[in-house]
Amino acid sequence: MSSSPDAERSGLSRRKVLLVVGAIVLLLVAAAAWVGVRALLVKDQLEAIVPIAAELQAAADARDIDRITAALTDLDAHAEQADSLSGDPLWRVAEFTPWLGSNLAAARVVSSGVHGVSDAALPLMAAIRTAIEQPHESAGLDVDALNGIAEPLQQTSLALNEAQTELARIDPGVLVGPLASGVERLADVTAQGAPVLSSLASASQLLPSMLGREGERHVLVMLQNSAELRTGGGITGSFVLLRADNGAVEIVDQADGGSFPAQVEPIAPVPASTVELYGERVGRFVQNTSMPTEFGATAELANAWWATRSDIVPDAVLSVDIPAVRAMLSASEPVMLSDGSELTADNVIQRVLIDPYLSLDVEEQTAYQRELTGSLISGLFSQRIDFFSWAGALAEPIEQGRISLWSSHPDEQELIDAGPLAGPAARHVAAGSDSFAVYLNDATSGKMSSFLGVTLAAGSVECRPDGRSDVVVGVALTNNAPANAGEVFPWWLTGGGLEGVTPGNIAMNVTVAAPPGSFYGGALVDGVRTTTTDVEDEGFPSSAAVTTVAPGQTSVLEFRFVMDTDREVVPRLLHTPLIGVPETATLDASCD
């Protein structure tokens, strides 16, 4: 009995469907096998990178260019293979499969990131070798050599920043153990290294022109004295005008703060928010030059003060504190003083910020600080400057906000604005949307900040039906001066009661700047609600309160802000650069 045409067509259709389904299954199996084989090969390449990375770290610590280059070459070869193996379309499609896909995606990101960085770093090492082999025996910085490494250094920085961004998007919690730990280690390394390399890249682009590669430049250096705190570090105790010509630097003029008499009216415009927080004294006294959070305003004040002394208009203003100078000394030879003693990284804090106020009268301090400042600056810049040694030593002070820079040249200022040297407000912007800044301004008119202990803490709590978090920032100030400080310390150290502060006590204006859009929630001083000055400063809601701390005592301030978002907030704290590093503590915020 023969089958009907319809039945034959139906059977044929079923066979076609089965053939198509079978082909698809075969393709999927083949694709899975393809990806599986490649995954094993990628695993082999990534595992081979681990010992090479250790060798690269050792070579970098030893500053051995040959070893670094050899290790980078090996690392780049393995990373290129891993990147190629994990970069085809089938691999990307497989990344959408449950569980396995997350691991494949992470392996691809790691391979691509390591390859990108190593590929960019090899030309950089070649440029560094050329710079090292290029003879330069004169004092100062070899700006031609530095100019030669600027572009490859910038490309390496961009590659590292891209790798950091991509790695930060990976959730290690969904990965297999070895891959998860590898991703976490690599993410930590890139997170630590990216800002440092970014700083180096900015410096390599800025310094040649700022140090006179295309013609003579003048730089006004402001030395911040952290023994009397201000927003940007300390009072402006000394000014030094430098002339830079093709990397060689010399002192043109210098003056201490006492050389600039107080003004009846502000010497230059001061941001209205700064005046509201601290009064018109910001622009009337040279010591308050670094009170604004916007460093452009600080530079304008510095230039105005300097104009009362000199007709030379600075091309740039550089602010540094003494701990930053200590870092420079750690990367250079000791500086010889006129009395035959040496200024070193180990003794500069004691000799600049403490000893003069304990053993010298006001006139002697002025003479001592002037001689010391001149010897220090000329001593540092009369040496041959090793860019990478200085850069390594200054990485931490830059991260801590101890160095700020402004340029009158728009192209240079654009680079500064994009980096870590643009000042407190810019640093706050760069720190992210959960960042809070604590600014300390001494109200004692003495040098008691040398005896100030600072502990910072922050916590968040959800108390509101709309899901918005309250963030509490705690600032504990401890006066570590001896109990009889008011009796045994000279008046110029204690302030002598000139501001109504009992000698020996420390009066401090504390300002906390919250993320844009935050709402003020009030403040407590030692558990008691206090009056605050609340103002938006450079886009940041800022709340200020004053406290006074007697010797041996601690005062605790707590500032509360309501966030403008219902997402979880993990507050990060920035702060005025101090002589040392403040302690941190845990703060359990409550809804009370």
Side-chain angles (χ1 to χ4, degrees):
M1 184 177 178
S2 62
S3 61
S4 68
D6 289 342
E8 288 180 0
R9 284 195 293 271
S10 176
L12 182 61
S13 296
R14 283 195 295 272
R15 284 195 298 275
K16 285 183 177 179
V17 169
L18 289 173
L19 286 171
V20 170
V21 170
I24 291 174
V25 170
L26 285 173
L27 284 172
L28 289 175
V29 170
W34 174 264
V35 172
V37 169
R38 287 197 157 212
L40 291 173
L41 294 174
V42 169
K43 174 177 175 291
D44 290 342
Q45 296 298 327
L46 293 181
E47 287 179 344
I49 284 174
V50 175
I52 300 174
E55 162 62 11
L56 182 60
Q57 180 64 58
D61 290 341
R63 298 187 183 181
D64 188 325
I65 298 297
D66 291 334
R67 282 179 65 192
I68 294 173
T69 303
L72 267 177
T73 301
D74 289 346
L75 186 144
D76 188 55
H78 288 286
E80 183 178 18
Q81 282 292 317
D83 190 17
S84 176
L85 289 165
S86 61
D88 67 51
L90 282 177
W91 186 289
R92 298 299 292 265
V93 171
E95 290 180 9
F96 290 96
T97 60
W99 183 77
L100 178 63
S102 298
N103 289 276
L104 293 175
R108 173 181 54 79
V109 169
V110 169
S111 302
S112 175
V114 174
H115 181 215
V117 174
S118 60
D119 215 33
L122 282 169
L124 173 60
M125 296 314 300
I128 291 174
R129 176 182 290 282
T130 299
I132 291 173
E133 292 175 349
Q134 182 175 316
H136 176 68
E137 300 301 329
S138 58
L141 183 69
D142 187 344
V143 291
D144 289 328
L146 184 57
N147 188 65
I149 68 172
E151 180 59 26
L153 186 54
Q154 176 70 9
Q155 293 306 314
T156 305
S157 175
L158 291 173
L160 188 60
N161 281 327
E162 183 177 352
Q164 180 199 8
T165 300
E166 293 300 316
L167 285 164
R169 292 173 178 163
I170 299 175
D171 178 9
V174 300
L175 306 179
V176 294
L179 183 57
S181 60
V183 166
E184 287 177 332
R185 286 198 303 272
L186 194 56
D188 287 342
V189 169
T190 56
Q192 293 172 18
V196 175
L197 204 60
S198 178
S199 299
L200 289 176
S202 297
S204 68
Q205 292 177 292
L206 281 167
L207 286 177
S209 58
M210 293 192 78
L211 292 180
R213 184 172 184 266
E214 289 84 25
E216 185 179 273
R217 292 289 190 91
H218 288 94
V219 179
L220 183 62
V221 179
M222 302 165 50
L223 282 176
Q224 305 295 330
N225 187 333
S226 308
E228 188 172 349
L229 291 171
R230 293 292 184 268
T231 299
I235 63 167
T236 305
S238 299
F239 288 95
V240 182
L241 184 68
L242 303 178
R243 179 190 294 115
D245 187 7
N246 202 34
V249 179
E250 64 176 353
I251 295 177
V252 176
D253 192 9
Q254 68 179 97
D256 58 80
S259 303
F260 302 92
Q263 304 290 304
V264 176
E265 298 292 333
I267 198 166
V270 178
S273 55
T274 306
V275 174
E276 192 166 349
L277 285 168
Y278 308 118
E280 290 193 346
R281 64 174 53 212
V282 177
R284 293 180 53 236
F285 297 89
V286 71
Q287 292 84 357
N288 298 329
T289 302
S290 61
M291 268 186 169
T293 58
E294 168 55 46
F295 191 69
T298 290
E300 188 172 356
L301 286 169
N303 282 328
W305 285 111
W306 190 254
T308 65
R309 177 183 179 88
S310 171
D311 293 332
I312 298 176
V313 179
D315 295 284
V317 175
L318 174 67
S319 173
V320 296
D321 67 2
I322 300 304
V325 172
R326 175 177 57 189
M328 296 178 199
L329 284 167
S330 73
S332 66
E333 297 295 324
V335 169
M336 185 70 68
L337 300 180
S338 60
D339 63 3
S341 64
E342 291 182 337
L343 203 60
T344 68
D346 293 331
N347 66 19
V348 65
I349 298 293
Q350 185 73 27
R351 296 199 63 176
V352 177
L353 298 181
I354 299 174
D355 289 348
Y357 306 111
L358 292 173
S359 59
L360 304 177
D361 63 28
V362 176
E363 291 184 1
E364 290 171 335
Q365 289 171 35
T366 299
Y368 174 79
Q369 296 285 17
R370 181 180 179 83
E371 190 272 335
L372 186 146
T373 299
S375 297
L376 181 62
I377 298 296
S378 61
L380 283 171
F381 289 101
S382 63
Q383 304 176 30
R384 183 178 182 274
I385 296 174
D386 182 333
F387 171 72
F388 287 99
S389 293
W390 273 46
L394 289 172
E396 186 174 67
I398 289 173
E399 183 183 1
Q400 294 171 345
R402 299 185 182 280
I403 303 175
S404 298
L405 180 63
W406 171 89
S407 173
S408 64
H409 299 259
D411 56 333
E412 294 173 357
Q413 187 58 41
E414 185 176 353
L415 285 172
I416 294 169
D417 287 339
L421 301 177
R427 184 167 168 254
H428 194 173
V429 171
S433 59
D434 287 356
S435 297
F436 294 74
V438 177
Y439 300 124
L440 302 177
N441 284 277
D442 189 284
T444 314
S445 288
K447 300 296 182 290
M448 293 294 292
S449 294
S450 300
F451 300 93
L452 183 70
V454 179
T455 301
L456 302 177
S460 64
V461 60
E462 186 178 316
C463 307
R464 303 170 187 278
D466 59 7
R468 294 181 178 181
S469 296
D470 282 18
V471 170
V472 180
V473 176
V475 183
L477 304 177
T478 301
N479 186 340
N480 293 313
N484 61 348
E487 301 169 6
V488 299
F489 284 173
W491 68 266
W492 51 81
L493 180 56
T494 66
L498 295 177
E499 297 293 332
V501 180
T502 301
N505 290 358
I506 299 175
M508 194 64 63
N509 189 317
V510 182
T511 304
V512 176
S518 305
F519 303 93
Y520 306 107
L524 305 176
V525 175
D526 299 325
V528 178
R529 185 165 291 275
T530 188
T531 302
T532 57
T533 300
D534 299 328
V535 60
E536 185 171 293
D537 182 36
E538 299 300 328
F540 297 100
S542 302
S543 187
V546 180
T547 189
T548 301
V549 195
Q553 301 297 310
T554 296
S555 181
V556 178
L557 301 90
E558 291 189 350
F559 296 82
R560 183 177 290 263
F561 295 90
V562 182
M563 299 296 95
D564 68 342
T565 177
D566 58 1
R567 64 173 176 78
E568 182 183 4
V569 175
V570 181
R572 176 190 176 190
L573 294 181
L574 307 174
H575 58 85
T576 286
L578 308 172
I579 293 176
V581 178
E583 296 183 9
T584 57
T586 301
L587 192 153
D588 294 323
S590 68
C591 294
D592 297 336

